[in-house]
Amino acid sequence: MSRPSSPDRSSTRRSPAARPTDDELLDAARAVFAERGYAQATMGLIAERADSTKPTLYAHFGDKAALFRATVTREVAALRAWVLSAYETASGRPLEERVRLSVMAMFGYAGAHPDSFRMLFDSAVDEMSNERRALADTITAHVADRVREHLLAHGRTPGAGADLLAAMMVGLVGRAAMHVSHSPGADPIAAGELATGFVMAALRGLDPALLDHVDAGQCAR
């Protein structure tokens, strides 16, 4: 539930020694952007959530657009570090276990950091499009490598279809993880296990003829 707005408070609200850090201000911004969306979030609401003042926000970050960009940059870096750590943990393990750890990384983050996940993937604000695209590309490239490994293990030469399959899987897992981030009662572990089973079933049940059509169409261009 969002907090009601209140009139601006004076710059003496905190003593100098108790002034909020940049991270505390960004935490407040993340929460308000996740709850209200970019358009409805205000510097006043963010300052109130941080137990600070609008002049402090402006002094630290500039206007709302600049504060949003700073928040996005921090949250993208945190999610990237989280998923790359999961990928490193999965290195060298059997394929199905690597798929599971990769899928669970997204669900684990959505469950542990729902405000961050909602802010990054609910928003359509242009200021975050490049960062979000770069993050999605990193995740999709990793998944594409797993798809290629699966195809090679089954005697197939990977083509353009591997990248398409990876994009489909990332989209599916991302939307499912978003559902978890909006559902406080949902168990992210159980949801991640279900998604892992879905992805592995899709790989095992892949129709080679359909994949051949995609690869042949790409080669014909």
Side-chain angles (χ1 to χ4, degrees), residues 29-61:
R30 177 186 62 200
V32 174
F33 285 131
E35 291 172 6
R36 299 292 187 108
Y38 180 81
Q40 299 301 317
T42 67
M43 296 294 269
L45 286 170
I46 294 167
E48 182 180 15
R49 182 64 59 93
D51 192 23
S52 186
T53 64
K54 289 201 294 184
T56 297
L57 282 178
Y58 286 116
H60 282 240
F61 297 103

Short mmCIF file of all heavy atoms in Angstrom, two decimals, residues 29-61:
data_model
loop_
_atom_site.label_atom_id
_atom_site.label_comp_id
_atom_site.label_asym_id
_atom_site.label_seq_id
_atom_site.Cartn_x
_atom_site.Cartn_y
_atom_site.Cartn_z
N ALA A 29 13.45 5.65 -3.80
CA ALA A 29 13.02 5.88 -5.18
C ALA A 29 12.54 4.57 -5.81
O ALA A 29 11.50 4.52 -6.47
CB ALA A 29 14.16 6.47 -5.99
N ARG A 30 13.29 3.50 -5.59
CA ARG A 30 12.90 2.20 -6.13
C ARG A 30 11.52 1.79 -5.64
O ARG A 30 10.68 1.33 -6.42
CB ARG A 30 13.93 1.15 -5.71
CG ARG A 30 13.60 -0.28 -6.15
CD ARG A 30 14.60 -1.26 -5.56
NE ARG A 30 14.55 -1.25 -4.11
CZ ARG A 30 15.54 -1.69 -3.33
NH1 ARG A 30 16.67 -2.13 -3.85
NH2 ARG A 30 15.41 -1.65 -2.01
N ALA A 31 11.26 1.95 -4.35
CA ALA A 31 9.98 1.56 -3.78
C ALA A 31 8.84 2.37 -4.38
O ALA A 31 7.78 1.83 -4.75
CB ALA A 31 10.00 1.72 -2.26
N VAL A 32 9.02 3.68 -4.51
CA VAL A 32 7.95 4.53 -5.03
C VAL A 32 7.74 4.30 -6.52
O VAL A 32 6.60 4.23 -7.00
CB VAL A 32 8.25 6.02 -4.73
CG1 VAL A 32 7.21 6.92 -5.39
CG2 VAL A 32 8.27 6.26 -3.22
N PHE A 33 8.81 4.17 -7.28
CA PHE A 33 8.65 3.89 -8.71
C PHE A 33 7.96 2.54 -8.94
O PHE A 33 7.15 2.39 -9.85
CB PHE A 33 10.01 3.89 -9.41
CG PHE A 33 10.61 5.26 -9.63
CD1 PHE A 33 11.93 5.54 -9.27
CD2 PHE A 33 9.86 6.28 -10.20
CE1 PHE A 33 12.48 6.79 -9.47
CE2 PHE A 33 10.40 7.55 -10.40
CZ PHE A 33 11.71 7.80 -10.04
N ALA A 34 8.28 1.55 -8.10
CA ALA A 34 7.64 0.24 -8.24
C ALA A 34 6.16 0.31 -7.90
O ALA A 34 5.33 -0.33 -8.55
CB ALA A 34 8.35 -0.78 -7.34
N GLU A 35 5.81 1.08 -6.88
CA GLU A 35 4.42 1.17 -6.45
C GLU A 35 3.57 2.05 -7.36
O GLU A 35 2.44 1.71 -7.70
CB GLU A 35 4.35 1.76 -5.04
CG GLU A 35 4.89 0.86 -3.95
CD GLU A 35 4.97 1.57 -2.61
OE1 GLU A 35 4.49 2.72 -2.53
OE2 GLU A 35 5.50 0.97 -1.65
N ARG A 36 4.12 3.19 -7.76
CA ARG A 36 3.33 4.21 -8.46
C ARG A 36 3.56 4.23 -9.97
O ARG A 36 2.75 4.80 -10.69
CB ARG A 36 3.68 5.60 -7.91
CG ARG A 36 3.40 5.80 -6.42
CD ARG A 36 1.90 5.78 -6.14
NE ARG A 36 1.59 6.13 -4.77
CZ ARG A 36 1.04 7.29 -4.39
NH1 ARG A 36 0.75 8.21 -5.29
NH2 ARG A 36 0.77 7.51 -3.12
N GLY A 37 4.67 3.67 -10.43
CA GLY A 37 5.06 3.87 -11.82
C GLY A 37 5.75 5.22 -11.96
O GLY A 37 5.64 6.09 -11.09
N TYR A 38 6.44 5.39 -13.07
CA TYR A 38 7.21 6.61 -13.24
C TYR A 38 6.32 7.86 -13.25
O TYR A 38 6.61 8.86 -12.60
CB TYR A 38 8.02 6.54 -14.54
CG TYR A 38 8.84 7.77 -14.81
CD1 TYR A 38 10.07 7.94 -14.19
CD2 TYR A 38 8.39 8.76 -15.67
CE1 TYR A 38 10.84 9.08 -14.42
CE2 TYR A 38 9.14 9.91 -15.90
CZ TYR A 38 10.36 10.06 -15.27
OH TYR A 38 11.11 11.19 -15.49
N ALA A 39 5.22 7.79 -13.99
CA ALA A 39 4.39 8.98 -14.17
C ALA A 39 3.80 9.48 -12.85
O ALA A 39 3.71 10.69 -12.62
CB ALA A 39 3.28 8.71 -15.18
N GLN A 40 3.38 8.56 -11.99
CA GLN A 40 2.70 8.95 -10.76
C GLN A 40 3.66 9.15 -9.57
O GLN A 40 3.26 9.66 -8.53
CB GLN A 40 1.66 7.89 -10.38
CG GLN A 40 0.56 7.71 -11.42
CD GLN A 40 -0.20 9.00 -11.66
OE1 GLN A 40 -0.54 9.72 -10.73
NE2 GLN A 40 -0.46 9.31 -12.93
N ALA A 41 4.90 8.76 -9.72
CA ALA A 41 5.87 8.99 -8.66
C ALA A 41 6.27 10.46 -8.66
O ALA A 41 6.39 11.09 -9.71
CB ALA A 41 7.12 8.12 -8.88
N THR A 42 6.45 11.02 -7.49
CA THR A 42 6.87 12.41 -7.38
C THR A 42 8.08 12.50 -6.47
O THR A 42 8.34 11.62 -5.64
CB THR A 42 5.75 13.29 -6.79
OG1 THR A 42 5.54 12.91 -5.41
CG2 THR A 42 4.46 13.14 -7.58
N MET A 43 8.82 13.59 -6.64
CA MET A 43 9.98 13.80 -5.78
C MET A 43 9.54 13.95 -4.32
O MET A 43 10.26 13.54 -3.40
CB MET A 43 10.76 15.02 -6.25
CG MET A 43 11.36 14.88 -7.64
SD MET A 43 12.65 13.61 -7.75
CE MET A 43 14.12 14.61 -7.39
N GLY A 44 8.36 14.52 -4.11
CA GLY A 44 7.86 14.66 -2.74
C GLY A 44 7.60 13.31 -2.09
O GLY A 44 7.97 13.09 -0.92
N LEU A 45 6.97 12.39 -2.83
CA LEU A 45 6.71 11.06 -2.28
C LEU A 45 8.01 10.32 -1.99
O LEU A 45 8.13 9.62 -0.98
CB LEU A 45 5.86 10.25 -3.27
CG LEU A 45 4.39 10.62 -3.37
CD1 LEU A 45 3.75 9.90 -4.55
CD2 LEU A 45 3.66 10.28 -2.08
N ILE A 46 8.97 10.47 -2.90
CA ILE A 46 10.25 9.77 -2.71
C ILE A 46 10.99 10.35 -1.51
O ILE A 46 11.56 9.61 -0.69
CB ILE A 46 11.10 9.86 -3.99
CG1 ILE A 46 10.41 9.08 -5.12
CG2 ILE A 46 12.51 9.33 -3.75
CD1 ILE A 46 10.99 9.34 -6.50
N ALA A 47 10.99 11.68 -1.38
CA ALA A 47 11.65 12.31 -0.24
C ALA A 47 11.00 11.86 1.07
O ALA A 47 11.69 11.56 2.06
CB ALA A 47 11.58 13.82 -0.37
N GLU A 48 9.67 11.78 1.07
CA GLU A 48 8.98 11.35 2.28
C GLU A 48 9.34 9.90 2.62
O GLU A 48 9.58 9.56 3.79
CB GLU A 48 7.47 11.48 2.10
CG GLU A 48 6.69 11.08 3.34
CD GLU A 48 5.19 11.22 3.14
OE1 GLU A 48 4.75 11.34 1.98
OE2 GLU A 48 4.48 11.20 4.14
N ARG A 49 9.38 9.03 1.60
CA ARG A 49 9.72 7.63 1.85
C ARG A 49 11.15 7.50 2.42
O ARG A 49 11.41 6.62 3.23
CB ARG A 49 9.62 6.85 0.54
CG ARG A 49 9.92 5.36 0.67
CD ARG A 49 8.92 4.63 1.55
NE ARG A 49 7.57 4.74 1.05
CZ ARG A 49 7.00 3.84 0.25
NH1 ARG A 49 7.67 2.79 -0.16
NH2 ARG A 49 5.75 4.01 -0.16
N ALA A 50 12.03 8.40 2.00
CA ALA A 50 13.41 8.38 2.48
C ALA A 50 13.59 9.12 3.80
O ALA A 50 14.71 9.19 4.32
CB ALA A 50 14.34 8.97 1.43
N ASP A 51 12.49 9.68 4.32
CA ASP A 51 12.57 10.53 5.51
C ASP A 51 13.58 11.66 5.26
O ASP A 51 14.45 11.95 6.08
CB ASP A 51 12.98 9.72 6.73
CG ASP A 51 12.79 10.52 8.04
OD1 ASP A 51 11.98 11.46 8.04
OD2 ASP A 51 13.47 10.20 9.03
N SER A 52 13.43 12.28 4.08
CA SER A 52 14.34 13.33 3.67
C SER A 52 13.54 14.49 3.08
O SER A 52 12.36 14.65 3.40
CB SER A 52 15.35 12.77 2.66
OG SER A 52 16.33 13.73 2.34
N THR A 53 14.17 15.28 2.23
CA THR A 53 13.51 16.44 1.64
C THR A 53 13.73 16.48 0.14
O THR A 53 14.70 15.90 -0.38
CB THR A 53 14.06 17.75 2.25
OG1 THR A 53 15.45 17.86 1.89
CG2 THR A 53 13.92 17.76 3.75
N LYS A 54 12.86 17.20 -0.56
CA LYS A 54 13.06 17.36 -2.00
C LYS A 54 14.36 18.07 -2.33
O LYS A 54 15.07 17.66 -3.26
CB LYS A 54 11.86 18.09 -2.62
CG LYS A 54 10.61 17.24 -2.67
CD LYS A 54 9.61 17.74 -3.70
CE LYS A 54 9.06 19.09 -3.33
NZ LYS A 54 8.01 19.54 -4.30
N PRO A 55 14.74 19.14 -1.61
CA PRO A 55 16.03 19.76 -1.92
C PRO A 55 17.20 18.79 -1.84
O PRO A 55 18.15 18.87 -2.63
CB PRO A 55 16.14 20.86 -0.87
CG PRO A 55 14.73 21.23 -0.57
CD PRO A 55 13.98 19.94 -0.61
N THR A 56 17.14 17.84 -0.89
CA THR A 56 18.21 16.85 -0.79
C THR A 56 18.24 15.95 -2.02
O THR A 56 19.30 15.66 -2.58
CB THR A 56 18.03 15.99 0.47
OG1 THR A 56 18.14 16.83 1.62
CG2 THR A 56 19.08 14.90 0.55
N LEU A 57 17.06 15.52 -2.47
CA LEU A 57 17.00 14.69 -3.68
C LEU A 57 17.56 15.43 -4.88
O LEU A 57 18.35 14.87 -5.66
CB LEU A 57 15.55 14.27 -3.97
CG LEU A 57 14.95 13.14 -3.15
CD1 LEU A 57 13.50 12.93 -3.57
CD2 LEU A 57 15.74 11.85 -3.35
N TYR A 58 17.14 16.68 -5.07
CA TYR A 58 17.62 17.46 -6.20
C TYR A 58 19.14 17.67 -6.11
O TYR A 58 19.85 17.62 -7.12
CB TYR A 58 16.91 18.81 -6.26
CG TYR A 58 15.48 18.72 -6.75
CD1 TYR A 58 14.41 19.06 -5.92
CD2 TYR A 58 15.20 18.29 -8.04
CE1 TYR A 58 13.11 18.98 -6.36
CE2 TYR A 58 13.89 18.20 -8.49
CZ TYR A 58 12.85 18.54 -7.65
OH TYR A 58 11.55 18.44 -8.11
N ALA A 59 19.64 17.88 -4.89
CA ALA A 59 21.07 18.10 -4.73
C ALA A 59 21.88 16.85 -5.05
O ALA A 59 22.97 16.93 -5.62
CB ALA A 59 21.37 18.56 -3.30
N HIS A 60 21.33 15.69 -4.72
CA HIS A 60 22.06 14.44 -4.95
C HIS A 60 21.93 13.92 -6.38
O HIS A 60 22.87 13.34 -6.91
CB HIS A 60 21.55 13.36 -3.99
CG HIS A 60 22.07 13.48 -2.60
ND1 HIS A 60 22.82 12.50 -1.98
CD2 HIS A 60 21.97 14.48 -1.68
CE1 HIS A 60 23.14 12.88 -0.76
NE2 HIS A 60 22.63 14.07 -0.55
N PHE A 61 20.74 14.07 -6.98
CA PHE A 61 20.49 13.39 -8.25
C PHE A 61 19.96 14.27 -9.37
O PHE A 61 19.88 13.83 -10.51
CB PHE A 61 19.48 12.24 -8.02
CG PHE A 61 20.00 11.18 -7.10
CD1 PHE A 61 19.56 11.11 -5.78
CD2 PHE A 61 20.93 10.26 -7.53
CE1 PHE A 61 20.04 10.14 -4.92
CE2 PHE A 61 21.42 9.28 -6.68
CZ PHE A 61 20.98 9.22 -5.37
#
